[in-house]
Amino acid sequence: SSGINAEYGGDMTVYDDLFFSGCPKFLSPVVSENPTPFGTSGPRGLQLQVFKAEVEQQRLIPTLRSFLKLYTSIPISKLAKFLDMNENEVRCCLMAFKHKKEIAKGDSVDQTTLDIDFYVDKDMIHISDTKIARHYGDYYVQQVLKLKESNKLILGSALTRPAAPPSA
């Protein structure tokens, strides 16, 4: 999505063309008086609207994520100035980002949004980079497993050593 935005300057009609070239034919449960199978009305038009709403939600997520990775806390007003948006639009984008992040937790497809977590407290966004915490946790678990393996080897060799003959 971000590659298409950069290539075509954010022109949403490109998404219309992509959708109509790749979408299946949608059937309507209701017979229409004026059927237009290739137009933007009817079932295809409704699906196009849903598709464009999804694209619009995800369009700003990479930019938003890159700004959030730079800070540990940032006021919403400052982020709004960076994104050239008003504060309510930024709050909506943050909610969409959080929603997409929660959906991605269930899927194993897109793990790029999982490395950052945030919460909003009044007008301040508090960000935590969960990748770093995971890295330290993984290291700790690996060291504990190595210690257990070493203990097994030491105890195993001590138990299998032949007893020394008594000296007279």
Side-chain angles (χ1 to χ4, degrees):
S1 173
S2 62
I4 293 172
N5 277 335
E7 189 172 334
Y8 294 102
D11 186 17
M12 289 299 283
T13 59
V14 173
Y15 291 104
D16 294 357
D17 297 338
L18 290 172
F19 179 78
F20 283 129
S21 68
C23 77
K25 304 291 186 245
F26 296 103
L27 299 175
S28 175
V30 180
V31 178
S32 173
E33 291 179 15
N34 188 9
T36 55
F38 299 109
T40 57
S41 63
R44 286 182 79 180
L46 291 174
Q47 291 298 322
L48 175 64
Q49 289 174 357
V50 171
F51 175 72
K52 285 173 75 171
E54 184 71 22
V55 167
E56 191 63 36
Q57 278 185 352
Q58 292 189 14
R59 186 173 56 89
L60 289 175
I61 287 178
T63 306
L64 188 63
R65 181 178 168 271
S66 65
F67 277 119
L68 292 178
K69 284 188 74 69
L70 293 174
Y71 295 92
T72 56
S73 63
I74 182 173
I76 291 179
S77 59
K78 186 174 184 178
L79 185 60
K81 287 178 188 173
F82 288 153
L83 295 172
D84 291 329
M85 301 170 78
N86 67 40
E87 291 184 22
N88 287 335
E89 289 174 332
V90 171
R91 286 180 191 273
C92 289
C93 288
L94 289 169
M95 288 300 293
F97 179 62
K98 193 77 152 172
H99 176 72
K100 300 301 178 194
K101 182 178 168 288
E102 290 299 317
I103 290 173
K105 280 184 183 176
D107 299 339
S108 60
V109 178
D110 181 24
Q111 298 292 320
T112 57
T113 59
L114 296 180
D115 65 342
I116 191 166
D117 195 19
F118 66 92
Y119 66 93
V120 179
D121 183 26
K122 297 182 183 168
D123 288 335
M124 184 66 73
I125 306 166
H126 299 277
I127 301 114
S128 63
D129 194 357
T130 57
K131 188 179 238 181
I132 293 171
R134 254 187 274 156
H135 176 71
Y136 289 132
D138 290 344
Y139 178 78
Y140 179 73
V141 169
Q142 288 173 355
Q143 295 304 315
V144 168
L145 291 174
K146 284 182 182 179
L147 179 64
K148 283 184 176 182
E149 190 64 33
S150 298
N151 284 342
K152 280 184 185 177
L153 290 173
I154 292 170
L155 291 175
S157 65
L159 294 175
T160 58
R161 231 185 258 163
S167 55

